[in-house]
Amino acid sequence: MGYTYVAGWRTDADTHEVKDHGLSTLQRQWPETLGALGRQPDVYLIHSATLDTGVLEDSAVLARLAELATAGVRVGLSTTGPQQADTLRRAMTLQVDGMNPLSVVQATWNLLEPSAGPALAEAHAAGWSVVVKEAVANGRLTARGLTGQGDVPPALATVAADLGITPDAVALDAALNQPWADVVLSGASTRQQLNDNLRALHIQPGGTRSAELPALAHEPATYWQARSGLPWT
């Protein structure tokens, strides 16, 4: 809920999507979701919620989401930007008629941007389901690298080479080993990428020499500024 794609599948479009977390968008998109799936979804998320959009203060939207939660849908949010942790902690305090309608979070966590980790651990401990997105940092932690020329962070490239696997598998293994992570999304778009990703499931405990990898972390603001400049593909 919250985004409308408007680019017509053109990667060179001036505007790719319109973000609107208001009630009118929810009222339009919920029937669209039912029609597309042919049934009620198990999980329904506010897409890319931030403190700035005001969705977590919108009583009308929260009331409607509470209705969906009462009807058996697990409602939650996905987070984005350098204030992911603040957004999630605010979401965890919501109350509608004595209950929090939200119980799922999908957040960016990867070796370059692990800052949401403590908040995700708090959510998991509170009974929320935690889904990790962008575990390979939009391709930056794959063999492709940031520019597409294989400029992989050297420490990651070294560990991957020593294990005889691709960097994305190492990055996914790091996410899978977070004790609060219930689901880690792949993001693969080809069979080869999926096969490479799945190698993460066969890394022996401790095999990634994980002590070498925390140094890859960027300041959140720096990471998100660079991410905003990545081209659409």
Side-chain angles (χ1 to χ4, degrees):
M1 168 257 172
Y3 270 83
T4 301
Y5 179 72
V6 296
W9 304 109
R10 290 177 48 224
T11 59
D12 61 347
D14 292 334
T15 302
H16 290 270
E17 53 197 12
V18 176
K19 183 177 182 177
D20 182 349
H21 285 151
L23 181 62
S24 61
T25 300
L26 173 56
Q27 299 287 53
R28 172 174 55 84
Q29 292 185 336
W30 175 248
E32 291 174 348
T33 298
L34 296 179
L37 294 179
R39 64 175 182 84
Q40 182 171 281
D42 296 323
V43 177
Y44 192 66
L45 303 181
I46 305 167
H47 185 51
S48 293
T50 66
L51 296 175
D52 294 337
T53 70
V55 66
L56 300 182
E57 315 300 330
D58 191 323
S59 59
V61 169
L62 296 176
R64 179 62 180 128
L65 293 176
E67 292 176 359
L68 298 181
T70 300
V73 180
R74 290 205 69 176
V75 180
L77 75 165
S78 70
T79 60
T80 189
Q83 293 183 302
Q84 287 190 106
D86 294 337
T87 301
L88 174 55
R89 289 185 172 118
R90 173 69 187 106
M92 291 172 64
T93 69
L94 295 179
Q95 291 286 304
V96 177
D97 295 331
M99 64 165 280
N100 190 335
L102 309 183
S103 62
V104 183
V105 60
Q106 182 185 107
T108 294
W109 186 96
N110 58 59
L111 291 168
L112 301 180
E113 176 25 348
S115 66
L120 294 172
E122 293 166 23
H124 186 267
W128 284 45
S129 291
V130 176
V131 179
V132 174
K133 62 184 174 77
E134 301 180 10
V136 297
N138 304 98
R140 296 168 66 179
L141 299 178
T142 70
R144 181 181 185 279
L146 175 61
T147 66
Q149 304 300 314
D151 50 340
V152 182
L156 178 62
T158 297
V159 170
D162 288 349
L163 292 171
I165 58 178
T166 48
D168 52 278
V170 178
L172 288 165
D173 176 70
L176 288 164
N177 278 295
Q178 301 307 307
W180 39 258
D182 296 303
V183 176
V184 176
L185 301 179
S186 161
S189 59
T190 69
R191 180 175 294 183
Q192 184 59 56
Q193 289 172 356
L194 180 59
N195 288 337
D196 290 342
N197 286 181
L198 289 173
R199 299 285 296 279
L201 300 176
H202 304 291
I203 298 174
Q204 295 299 313
T208 59
R209 304 205 311 266
S210 57
E212 301 176 19
L213 300 177
L216 298 179
H218 296 180
E219 287 295 322
T222 301
Y223 173 87
W224 288 99
Q225 182 177 16
R227 182 188 179 280
S228 68
L230 295 176
W232 280 78
T233 56

